[in-house]
Amino acid sequence: MRKRFVKLDHENTSRRTFIRKLSMGIGATTLGLHGLSAMAGGTNPSPSPETLEKLQNGRKLGIALVGLGNYSRGQLAPALQETKLCKLSGIVTGSPEKIPEWKRKYNIADKNVYNYGNFENIKGNDDIDIIYIVLPNGMHAEYTIRAAQTGKHVICEKPMATSVEDCQRMIDACNKAGVKLSIGYRLHFEPHNLEMMRLGQNEVYGNVEKIIAEDGFRIGKGGWRLDKELAGGGPLTDVGIYCIQGAIYTKGEMPVSVTAQYHEVKNKEKFDEVEQGLDWQMQFKDGTVADCKTSYAENLNLLRAETDTNEWFELSPAYSYSGIEGETSKGDLDFKQVNQQALQMDDFADCIINNKKTPLPGEMGLRDVYIIYAIYEAADTGKRVSIDQNKKMLDWRIGD
């Protein structure tokens, strides 16, 4: 049984209608010739006097984590003990039993503890400057919009949302509120992945002709990840998005089309709502092909590029929180291991303090959800699905 990503929008807008909207600029966003580059940071509000005063007094920007699941507990909260420009100041949770441990472990004040009902009260809290949405995918849009309405800057975990329409609503809400929006793409701060970008985009070993990108793991009970309403899809929306990102930032351009095939479902009881796995191919304008694979039934972790000079460079593992390793046809890629999440959050804090555009804006998240939708459409129909290259807002490159 085929499993689609969540509908393109809540009104069952056709793909043709979406493309037309994309060319005109959805909602309040109008995209010019420079597309994402021209509007990466939204309205770029000036840092508030309170924010500037905090930094002048040596105080870090405060982050509130919304959702205290595995990623917040195991990665973000520990990373915030290493950040230089921001710190963990607040939490938002629907699980009261978690509150005492978090308060004790991270010295969180009572007034900085919220639940999903009183979430909007963050608006008047000067201890919190950034709200980080770390909820199941299907909740990203609602809470990003609610966060923007508090006047706080927002980081949202990937995938940005479960429909292109919701992505645009999130961008519009942050623009209207005059706050910055960034997507949690941590690998843009990881040295090995940065080197893949440099080698590929600068054609250091020649023009990239083939890319292999694979990411997957053997899922257990799965929880919300196997719930279509909460997840939006299966491994493609979860770890497969790293393959989309890796292929694009290694090649340095958008694909022109995609083809895709679902994996055979071996466990129909577990995978009754979302796909077990997918193979897909992204075709680029010059003939380069990215062969991609994601799965909830296999352990996969590879990003490899091959060039027209018979040289190659790769990362394996490529997308892990730590322990990333790289090699080229010329020798090893030997970079230090870093705390990716700490660098990611410090970069966003720096963008706020110095009124800069984030390199990971909502428009990048929208782009990736658009591609995810195209991949699902290709798998559902068995046909090649075009990525409209006239839509400049989709052309996002590192360094723009």
Side-chain angles (χ1 to χ4, degrees):
M1 183 172 69
R2 299 179 197 164
K3 297 296 178 184
R4 279 189 178 274
F5 197 46
V6 170
K7 292 287 187 181
L8 188 62
D9 64 37
H10 302 309
E11 299 173 355
N12 296 323
T13 303
S14 69
R15 186 169 182 273
R16 183 183 302 275
T17 301
F18 165 65
I19 290 293
R20 187 178 71 252
K21 285 183 177 180
L22 205 58
S23 67
M24 296 170 63
I26 308 174
T29 302
T30 300
L31 298 158
L33 291 178
H34 297 292
L36 284 176
S37 303
M39 57 176 304
T43 56
N44 280 319
S46 298
S48 68
E50 293 79 12
T51 297
L52 293 175
E53 183 180 355
K54 286 180 182 181
L55 270 296
Q56 290 168 357
N57 294 333
R59 294 174 62 188
K60 298 178 179 181
L61 299 188
I63 291 185
L65 297 177
V66 182
L68 305 183
N70 291 336
Y71 192 59
S72 284
R73 182 178 66 252
Q75 300 299 325
L76 295 178
L80 282 162
Q81 310 314 300
E82 299 183 27
T83 45
K84 296 179 174 63
L85 300 179
C86 53
K87 65 178 182 178
L88 177 59
S89 292
I91 54 175
V92 181
T93 181
S95 303
E97 69 276 9
K98 295 181 180 180
I99 294 173
E101 180 183 358
W102 277 77
K103 285 176 57 181
R104 176 188 56 79
K105 189 171 183 178
Y106 296 110
N107 194 29
I108 296 172
D110 286 339
K111 69 184 183 72
N112 295 344
V113 176
Y114 298 87
N115 58 51
Y116 300 127
N118 65 12
F119 176 73
E120 277 76 13
N121 293 343
I122 291 178
K123 182 174 183 177
N125 191 332
D126 291 336
D127 289 349
I128 296 171
D129 305 281
I130 300 166
I131 296 176
Y132 199 143
I133 309 301
V134 202
L135 294 166
N137 306 339
M139 302 172 72
H140 287 180
E142 176 188 350
Y143 281 88
T144 293
I145 292 169
R146 290 175 67 183
Q149 291 169 347
T150 70
K152 306 299 183 179
H153 302 285
V154 187
I155 305 173
C156 180
E157 260 310 305
K158 59 78 192 166
M160 184 176 174
T162 55
S163 75
V164 171
E165 182 193 55
D166 276 349
C167 292
Q168 189 63 51
R169 290 173 56 230
M170 295 158 72
I171 293 169
D172 291 345
C174 290
N175 284 339
K176 181 178 180 180
V179 300
K180 293 182 183 292
L181 170 63
S182 183
I183 309 303
Y185 288 131
R186 56 187 168 80
L187 292 173
H188 286 252
F189 304 96
E190 197 285 314
H192 298 81
N193 279 269
L194 287 170
E195 183 67 357
M196 292 293 288
M197 300 176 198
R198 188 188 74 85
L199 294 174
Q201 295 183 29
N202 292 289
E203 300 184 4
V204 174
Y205 293 153
N207 180 54
V208 173
E209 287 190 330
K210 182 178 181 180
I211 296 170
I212 302 172
E214 301 177 347
D215 199 4
F217 65 97
R218 298 180 185 277
I219 199 167
K221 292 183 179 180
W224 65 265
R225 284 180 169 81
L226 298 180
D227 183 319
K228 185 179 180 182
E229 184 176 355
L230 288 175
L236 180 60
T237 65
D238 185 6
V239 292
I241 202 167
Y242 291 120
C243 300
I244 294 171
Q245 279 256 318
I248 290 173
Y249 62 58
T250 298
K251 183 64 178 177
E253 61 186 66
M254 281 285 294
V256 297
S257 61
V258 295
T259 50
Q261 308 82 36
Y262 288 112
H263 292 175
E264 180 184 357
V265 177
K266 301 294 181 64
N267 188 333
K268 295 184 179 180
E269 181 177 352
K270 178 181 288 188
F271 300 105
D272 63 336
E273 293 191 29
V274 302
E275 78 275 3
Q276 177 178 305
L278 273 168
D279 293 333
W280 75 97
Q281 303 75 39
M282 299 196 294
Q283 295 84 26
F284 294 85
K285 187 176 182 179
D286 67 354
T288 295
V289 174
D291 289 323
C292 304
K293 181 177 184 178
T294 190
S295 175
Y296 274 159
E298 297 179 69
N299 293 320
L300 307 165
N301 208 315
L302 173 69
L303 178 59
R304 178 183 172 90
E306 300 173 357
T307 74
D308 57 0
T309 60
N310 294 320
E311 305 289 354
W312 54 268
F313 46 101
E314 70 175 26
L315 304 181
S316 180
Y319 318 105
S320 306
Y321 297 145
S322 61
I324 293 176
E325 297 182 357
E327 186 179 2
T328 79
S329 49
K330 303 290 188 182
D332 291 340
L333 296 178
D334 188 15
F335 296 98
K336 68 176 183 179
Q337 300 296 314
V338 300
N339 190 312
Q340 302 161 20
Q341 291 87 352
L343 293 176
Q344 171 206 326
M345 290 184 285
D346 263 347
D347 183 82
F348 189 55
D350 181 62
C351 289
I352 294 168
I353 295 162
N354 293 298
N355 192 25
K356 301 189 301 185
K357 295 178 179 180
T358 170
L360 309 173
E363 288 84 355
M364 181 187 280
L366 185 155
R367 177 204 72 182
D368 291 345
V369 171
Y370 170 78
I371 294 173
I372 286 171
Y373 173 79
I375 293 168
Y376 277 129
E377 182 178 347
D380 282 345
T381 63
K383 297 178 180 179
R384 184 185 300 267
V385 175
S386 295
I387 304 295
D388 195 331
Q389 294 301 294
N390 292 322
K391 307 304 171 282
K392 295 295 185 180
M393 59 84 65
L394 297 174
D395 187 11
W396 184 264
R397 303 184 188 189
I398 190 70
D400 274 359

